[in-house]
């Protein structure tokens, strides 16, 4: 049944105060992705940005930073997870933005391959610096923001975190450590409302093997 014009106008007047008091639309949730220049990190960055998230995209090289900055809803951040000063600077950048942080995606990773009895100690240290100490440093640095938002921490592990293969000892050792890191962190942050998880991909066409090959050549293997 059609309302008389006067009744419709009266109903509209009654609704106006409620409409005026509607809260503004919240800004998109912010996510930080490390190792965002290629592979899983780049795909994750593009997917999140396409689906309405604001993405802080961590990368090391100038060319990669420029490419990431060109993606809508993405802001590139110079970030090497082995360098505490760059991590601290990233924390300040995120804090100063006023967006908060809903999720940290620890994706940066490298692969070292060598027979364990020929492996040099500094190469094993480099493997753990990125794949294990990197996620630990990042999670520790951004924990206050994530606790405040009751957010998420996701770390890119690997199927190599649950299986082993010859020549892959350095890599599989690091990814097994990531499994333990994730399980303990999940237990410790659960009381604060922060969810922690690990992703265990199998083979994926990324740049990690290209980088691994170059490191082996540079190191004289």
């Amino acid at each position: 049944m059609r309302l008389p014009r006067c009744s419709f106008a009266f109903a509209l007047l009654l609704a106006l105060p409620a409409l005026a008091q509607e809260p503004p639309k919240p800004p998109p949730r912010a996510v930080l992705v490390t190792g965002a220049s290629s592979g899983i990190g780049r795909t994750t960055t593009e997917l999140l940005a396409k689906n309405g998230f604001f993405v802080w995209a961590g990368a090391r090289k100038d060319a990669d930073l420029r490419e990431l900055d060109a993606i809508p809803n993405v802001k590139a951040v110079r970030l090497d997870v082995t360098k505490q000063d760059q991590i601290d600077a990233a924390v300040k950048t995120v804090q100063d933005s006023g967006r908060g942080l809903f999720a940290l995606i620890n994706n940066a990773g490298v692969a070292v391959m060598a027979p364990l009895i020929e492996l040099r100690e500094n190469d094993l240290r480099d493997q753990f610096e990125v794949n294990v100490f990197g996620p630990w440093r990042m999670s520790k640095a951004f924990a206050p923001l994530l606790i405040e938002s009751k957010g998420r921490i996701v770390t890119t592990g690997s199927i190599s975190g649950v299986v082993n293969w010859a020549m892959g000892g350095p890599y599989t050792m690091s990814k097994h450590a990531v499994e333990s890191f994730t399980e303990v962190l999940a237990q410790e942050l659960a009381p604060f409302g922060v969810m922690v998880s690990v992703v265990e991909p199998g083979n994926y066409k990324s740049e990690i093997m290209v980088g691994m090959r170059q490191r082996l050549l540079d190191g004289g293997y």
Side-chain angles (χ1 to χ4, degrees), residues 118-135:
E118 297 180 6
L119 177 68
R120 292 187 292 250
E121 185 171 328
N122 65 308
D123 292 326
L124 183 59
R125 288 184 185 277
D126 289 344
Q127 176 74 94
F128 273 71
E129 278 291 329
V130 179
N131 289 15
V132 182
F133 286 98

Side-chain angles (χ1 to χ4, degrees), residues 101-173:
L101 188 67
F102 176 69
L104 166 64
I105 301 180
N106 289 311
N107 173 74
V110 297
V112 173
M113 287 179 62
L116 290 177
I117 60 172
E118 297 180 6
L119 177 68
R120 292 187 292 250
E121 185 171 328
N122 65 308
D123 292 326
L124 183 59
R125 288 184 185 277
D126 289 344
Q127 176 74 94
F128 273 71
E129 278 291 329
V130 179
N131 289 15
V132 182
F133 286 98
W136 171 71
R137 291 187 190 100
M138 291 293 297
S139 300
K140 183 178 181 180
F142 284 94
L145 284 169
L146 294 165
I147 289 172
E148 183 180 347
S149 68
K150 297 189 182 300
R152 309 283 186 270
I153 296 177
V154 181
T155 300
T156 302
S158 171
I159 192 172
S160 293
V162 292
V163 300
N164 299 284
W165 39 281
M167 300 288 288
Y171 183 70
T172 61
M173 288 163 66

Side-chain angles (χ1 to χ4, degrees), residues 7-217:
S7 298
F8 175 77
F10 181 67
L12 183 60
L13 285 171
L14 290 176
L16 280 176
L19 292 173
Q21 293 170 16
E22 269 190 23
K25 188 177 180 181
R29 284 174 163 174
V31 178
L32 190 153
V33 181
T34 68
S37 59
S38 62
I40 292 174
R42 179 63 176 264
T43 301
T44 300
T45 296
E46 293 173 347
L47 182 65
L48 289 171
K50 184 178 179 181
N51 283 275
F53 288 87
F54 179 86
V55 184
W56 298 102
R60 297 176 299 154
K61 300 176 182 177
D62 290 338
D64 294 331
L65 293 168
R66 288 193 295 269
E67 281 189 19
L68 291 165
D69 267 333
I71 304 172
N73 292 330
V74 173
K75 177 60 181 174
V77 181
R78 189 177 301 278
L79 187 55
D80 183 332
V81 298
T82 69
K83 297 181 177 178
Q84 190 63 49
D85 60 332
Q86 292 191 14
I87 294 173
D88 293 340
V91 172
K92 187 176 187 308
T93 297
V94 173
Q95 285 177 330
D96 291 349
S97 73
R99 294 176 176 272
L101 188 67
F102 176 69
L104 166 64
I105 301 180
N106 289 311
N107 173 74
V110 297
V112 173
M113 287 179 62
L116 290 177
I117 60 172
E118 297 180 6
L119 177 68
R120 292 187 292 250
E121 185 171 328
N122 65 308
D123 292 326
L124 183 59
R125 288 184 185 277
D126 289 344
Q127 176 74 94
F128 273 71
E129 278 291 329
V130 179
N131 289 15
V132 182
F133 286 98
W136 171 71
R137 291 187 190 100
M138 291 293 297
S139 300
K140 183 178 181 180
F142 284 94
L145 284 169
L146 294 165
I147 289 172
E148 183 180 347
S149 68
K150 297 189 182 300
R152 309 283 186 270
I153 296 177
V154 181
T155 300
T156 302
S158 171
I159 192 172
S160 293
V162 292
V163 300
N164 299 284
W165 39 281
M167 300 288 288
Y171 183 70
T172 61
M173 288 163 66
S174 73
K175 290 303 183 180
H176 276 69
V178 164
E179 294 288 321
S180 178
F181 163 77
T182 302
E183 289 198 20
V184 174
L185 191 65
Q187 293 175 34
E188 293 175 348
L189 292 185
F192 299 98
V194 178
M195 294 180 64
V196 181
S197 58
V198 62
V199 179
E200 300 165 339
N203 292 335
Y204 185 84
K205 187 177 180 181
S206 72
E207 299 297 319
I208 194 169
M209 290 301 179
V210 176
M212 178 205 69
R213 180 178 184 275
Q214 192 59 51
R215 273 187 295 276
L216 290 173
L217 290 172

